[in-house]
Amino acid sequence: MTTRGARPAGRGVRGDLFDPHCPTRRLLDRIGTKWTSMAVKTLADAAPDEVRFAELRRRMPGVSQKMLSVTLRSLTRDGLVSRRVEPTVPPRVFYRLTGLGLSLEAALAGLRTWAEEHMAEIDRANEAAQEADEG
């Protein structure tokens, strides 16, 4: 028996973003970061090839080793990225997008396009708001 408003868990079931307990919120928090977007874009540009950790870091200006590691761990745990380790000394670690990750890249590409097209408007709105706050 489910309580009123509860939704059964399962494949193909849509979440309710407005429900504080909905896992959709947690997922959006994870995939909505700049480092996730940059990692997915970088891996998509290399697809279907793999990219080594050090190369990913070079292609993502400003990301720290720790932040990239945390981001990749999250993407791997979510099934968006696959990780392969060669048992060398030191180990060589390679990453690539899964099919699910490639589908996320399509969605993120639309968001990046929107941001690029509207950034000037957003900047003007922020400047106007700042002037109004100061005035």
Side-chain angles (χ1 to χ4, degrees), residues 26 43 66 90 127:
R26 289 189 308 274
L43 291 168
K66 180 180 179 179
E127 288 169 8

Side-chain angles (χ1 to χ4, degrees), residues 24 41 46 48 51 55 58 75 81 84 86 111 115 118:
T24 302
K41 170 75 168 122
V51 180
E55 182 60 24
R58 277 192 290 279
L75 290 168
V81 168
R84 182 175 65 84
E86 286 185 358
L111 184 57
H118 297 283

Side-chain angles (χ1 to χ4, degrees), residues 52-69:
R52 288 188 61 192
F53 182 91
E55 182 60 24
L56 269 172
R57 188 161 177 225
R58 277 192 290 279
R59 294 182 189 183
M60 294 173 57
V63 71
S64 68
Q65 181 171 334
K66 180 180 179 179
M67 195 67 241
L68 181 56
S69 179

